[in-house]
Structures are given as structure tokens and as C-alpha cells.
Amino acid sequence: MRRGQVRDSGNICGVRRLALGEGRALYLALRRGDKKKKVSGIGYYTRLAAALFVAAAMGAAIANPDVGRKAADRRALAKLEKLNAEERACAPGEAPLTAGFADLGDIKSATPLGALAAPGEAPPAPYLRLTTQRRGGAPVTALAPGKGEVVALERRTEIVGGRKRALWTVRFKPCDRISVFYDRLDAVDPALLRRAGGLQAFEEVAEGRLAVAVRLKVDAGAPVGFARAFDVGLADAAAPVAHHADPSHARTTPPAPSHEISAALERALAFDETRSRCAFDYLAADLMAPWMGKLGDGAGRRLKPGENACVADVLGPPVAARGVWFTDSSHNARARKVSAVALYEDLVDPERLVFSLHGRMPSLSAPGGVVSAAAGDGRLNAPFRSIKPGETYCYQDLRVGLEGPALAGVLVLRLEAAADGPGLLRMEARADVRECFDMPEPWGFTGGETSFYP
């Protein structure tokens, strides 16, 4: 027997002897009525029971040194069997979601999360951001949208507003083919986290990102988290594959696992975006209309639904420069690579201006998709509604997508009036300058501009 094992056995036996000795001392003290060692009946029996329990447990540990390991193995096996258990099948003809995502009265708007696509481009994935209308922006309670199981919890750290912030994701399945996620929660329900085993049960997925696979049954309407605003998405494994806009239309994309993770967690985190669908369409009939009525921008202004209940129809004929513009190769041979552009303010953040392209502008080094910039005033980063014909405007501090990397250069824009119609819009990306005021006055084009028509 190794030295360490002898020492451990000695310690165990010592503890057992001490426990039994204390129990015997208490018993004798009570028998002889020793006033110096009087104890209450309750205190005495509590201490005696504790001593005897410790003694018995230590004795069992000595007699069965593998009992702890075997118990842990049984718990691990039971957890694995639970994670691999067959999921409840979706009932034909029944709505999978029988409750709202939160108290409807607490929600100001449900806003399409991705950047809108220019005509000819595939629409973005139909995810929504729910924002609170509580006084002072107080958090709302995110609710389980039906009876089912929470299958994964995630926690990640992001830099928001220059400060580190913990964001949570809850993944829920009302039945086998439907997956729902709630993202960007400020916190998860403490009882749910406790049932998941606490943070110590999580495993690292990527730097700053932890997750755990679970099978926690919840009732429809049960609290799962809290947030001032949170994102909702749904995927239907039985739905046909759909093509969605490229990643530049998305706000955030979770990082891929940086190392191997458990098979159970990999399965719990799986989400087939090609089968993502509008979550409103999966609500019970009495819930669908009220929730669809919440479709709006980040400020709460109501929006008209587009091709589905999670897409807004806000693009149309131009108002100043805002709206949809098309190219015409017979007027401008350079325009053959791009056929349309949509200029608008982002629905979630109206202070973000969006250039949504179908195809690629020859002067723009970034691929087709979305380019955005923070709104300004005057000639610099002017909101599209304020553009005046005959004046030249410049946009700097450009980003690829809504929250992507910085894009070198600037965009120059000019609206030309026409006596017999709405005129045309000319636009050119210039990589020869870093900022707008690096260009000589008056601002203009180099000959590489693209012309667009309403």
C-alpha cells in the first residue's frame, strides 16, 4: 500500500474515533448529570446524530473505497442518457408555440434584426429584436414560448459601449423539429441556472464563451431570463432550405468553437439557419395577430410586414435619397455589376445609415452586401432624407455590414434633379482618401461613379 493511502486511512479512522468519542462523552455527561456539561435535549441529540452519521459515513468509505467514484459514474451516465433521450414529437396540426416571448404589454416593438436587402438580393434571416417599453427601460422577463425543454444555456463576454458585458443565450425546443433561441439576455433565470448545475457545469466553447447542454423541462410562460432587449429566432428542421442574405446583413455572428466540445453540447448548439423561419408564424392562432402588431422599428413606430411577418416593407420610391435606386447599363456601362441600391436608416438603430447593394459597385473594394456609417449632419454623413439636389455629400468611418470591420476610404454621393422626373443618384467609393475633408474642395467624383435611377 502506498504511503499516501496509509495516511488517508489513518485520517479517516481518526475522524471516526473522534466522532464516536464525542458521542460517548455526551452520553456519559448526560447520565451523570454533570452540570458543567449540560446541554439541551435538542442540541444533544443533534450533535449525537451528526457524530454517529459522520462515523457511519467514514466507516462506509473505509469498507467501500470506490463508492464515491461509482456514484459519480452513475450520475454522469444518467445525465448522458437524459441528454440522449428521444425528444417529444411535434403534434401534427398544433402550434408549437402556445405562449408569448414576454408579456405583450411590456414590449414596445419587435424589430427585424438584419439589414434590409436591396431588390434582387435574398432577404436576411427573419430574426427579431424585442425591446422594452417599461419606464426607464427596466428589463422585461423573457418567457418560455411553449411547453418544452431548455436544451442549452450560453454565457459570453462582449465589449458593449466600451465596457465588458456578460450576455446570455437560452435555447429552447417545444418539440423535436423546432428550435428557438433567445439571445443577448442580460441574465438567465436563477432557478434555471441552478437546475443546470451552475456555471461550474459549463464548458468553454471559445474564448469568452461558455455553454452547457441540458434537458430542463419548462412550462409555457415560465421565466427563462431578463433583458432590456433580446433577440428571438426559430428554425424548423422540416421546412425547406431557404437562402438568406450574406453575413454582412447580420448584426452579430457567434464565434465557432475554438476546440473540441462534447457531442451533446455540439448537438444542443446546432441551429440550421437555412431553415430559419419567422417565429410569429409558429404561434397559436390567438397570439399571432397581437404579436404581428408589434412589428416596428427601434423607436416603436409600426412597420408594414413584407414577404413574411418578420420582414418589414419600408423601401419604396425615393424620398430625397432614401429608398430604392436602380442602375441602367444603357446609360452607364460601368453599372453592369450592380443593379440596385437601397439607402435607409437601420431599423434597430436609426442613427446608423445603411447602403444595401445588389451586386457590387466597381469603385467599392468591399464585396456586395451592406455598408454602413453613423449618421451625421450637414454635408458629412447626412441622413438620406435630408439630401438636397445639386449638393455633394460624403460618408466616412464606413463599416462592412452593420457591426463589421472598418472599410478604408469614403463614399461620395450626389442627387441630380431633373425637370421631367425625379432625377438620378450618383455614388462613388473613393479609397484615395481616409476622411471626407482630405478631399479638395469642391467635393466631386473621379470618373468612377455609378449612376442610379428611381
Side-chain angles (χ1 to χ4, degrees):
M1 185 177 293
R2 293 194 298 273
R3 183 178 301 172
Q5 291 176 315
V6 171
R7 185 181 297 115
D8 289 344
S9 297
N11 288 339
I12 291 171
C13 292
V15 171
R16 184 168 181 260
R17 285 195 298 271
L18 285 172
L20 289 171
E22 184 177 353
R24 179 174 177 79
L26 285 168
Y27 174 72
L28 292 175
L30 191 64
R31 283 286 302 271
R32 67 173 179 263
D34 190 343
K35 295 182 180 179
K36 294 181 181 180
K37 295 184 179 181
K38 278 186 178 180
V39 293
S40 68
I42 295 176
Y44 164 72
Y45 284 115
T46 300
R47 294 182 62 189
L48 179 59
L52 294 176
F53 175 79
V54 171
M58 292 300 179
I62 295 169
N64 301 283
D66 291 337
V67 66
R69 178 179 57 79
K70 290 178 179 178
D73 289 346
R74 285 196 297 270
R75 288 194 298 270
L77 182 60
K79 180 180 178 181
L80 186 60
E81 289 176 347
K82 184 176 181 180
L83 290 175
N84 291 327
E86 188 175 358
E87 296 172 333
R88 183 175 70 89
C90 295
E94 291 185 8
L97 308 185
T98 57
F101 314 104
D103 187 327
L104 191 65
D106 288 338
I107 300 300
K108 176 172 64 176
S109 63
T111 307
L113 192 57
L116 300 183
E121 285 286 293
Y127 306 146
L128 297 165
R129 176 161 295 176
L130 307 186
T131 55
T132 179
Q133 63 180 4
R134 284 187 167 184
R135 188 185 299 273
V140 299
T141 302
L143 305 175
K147 184 177 181 179
E149 293 181 324
V150 171
V151 297
L153 300 176
E154 298 179 56
R155 181 182 184 271
R156 69 181 184 276
T157 302
E158 287 188 3
I159 304 297
V160 180
R163 300 176 61 184
K164 284 187 177 181
R165 177 183 168 195
L167 298 174
W168 293 81
T169 303
V170 174
R171 295 175 184 260
F172 169 81
K173 297 194 76 172
C175 52
D176 56 359
R177 65 180 174 85
I178 305 296
S179 298
V180 178
F181 70 74
Y182 289 173
D183 191 28
R184 302 185 70 82
L185 295 167
D186 296 327
V188 295
D189 181 70
L192 201 62
L193 182 59
R194 187 165 54 251
R195 290 173 62 193
L199 271 177
Q200 62 267 27
F202 286 49
E203 60 181 289
E204 187 177 68
V205 176
E207 184 177 358
R209 183 183 174 203
L210 304 171
V212 62
V214 291
R215 293 286 294 274
L216 305 177
K217 294 185 183 300
V218 292
D219 290 326
V224 296
F226 310 93
R228 291 176 290 275
F230 66 98
D231 302 342
V232 177
L234 179 147
D236 182 350
V241 170
H243 178 61
H244 297 298
D246 64 66
S248 71
H249 289 70
R251 306 205 85 81
T252 56
T253 303
S258 59
H259 54 269
E260 187 176 353
I261 60 176
S262 65
L265 181 57
E266 185 176 10
R267 184 171 62 252
L269 296 181
F271 189 88
D272 187 354
E273 187 167 286
T274 66
R275 289 182 167 84
S276 61
R277 293 295 186 269
C278 178
F280 289 163
D281 293 335
Y282 288 76
L283 288 166
D286 61 328
L287 297 172
M288 189 179 299
W291 276 98
M292 287 174 60
K294 289 290 184 178
L295 189 69
D297 64 14
R301 289 185 291 267
R302 293 292 166 252
L303 300 174
K304 178 183 176 183
E307 59 187 71
N308 66 58
C310 293
V311 172
D313 182 14
V314 299
L315 302 175
V319 176
R322 186 191 186 280
V324 178
W325 298 81
F326 299 89
T327 58
D328 184 344
S329 59
S330 65
H331 288 81
N332 184 352
R334 291 192 181 92
R336 286 178 299 180
K337 290 185 179 180
V338 60
S339 63
V341 62
L343 307 182
Y344 67 99
E345 62 285 348
D346 180 40
L347 298 179
V348 172
D349 179 7
E351 295 301 310
R352 190 124 204 110
L353 304 175
V354 179
F355 302 78
S356 184
L357 303 169
H358 174 48
R360 176 176 175 175
M361 274 193 354
S363 62
L364 187 63
S365 59
V370 168
V371 174
S372 67
D377 54 22
R379 296 186 300 158
L380 188 65
N381 288 30
F384 300 129
R385 293 179 185 271
S386 67
I387 297 295
K388 296 178 180 178
E391 296 186 11
T392 305
Y393 298 82
C394 181
Y395 296 83
Q396 64 182 31
D397 298 326
L398 305 169
R399 307 196 75 84
V400 176
L402 298 169
E403 299 175 356
L407 181 63
V410 302
L411 270 172
V412 181
L413 182 149
R414 184 179 177 90
L415 180 61
E416 304 283 3
D420 57 348
L424 61 84
L425 183 75
R426 292 199 291 164
M427 197 161 61
E428 181 184 15
R430 291 188 54 173
D432 58 320
V433 293
R434 288 176 56 88
E435 297 181 347
C436 293
F437 288 104
D438 292 340
M439 291 188 298
E441 297 280 1
W443 293 346
F445 302 101
T446 66
E449 68 270 20
T450 300
S451 295
F452 296 90
Y453 304 84

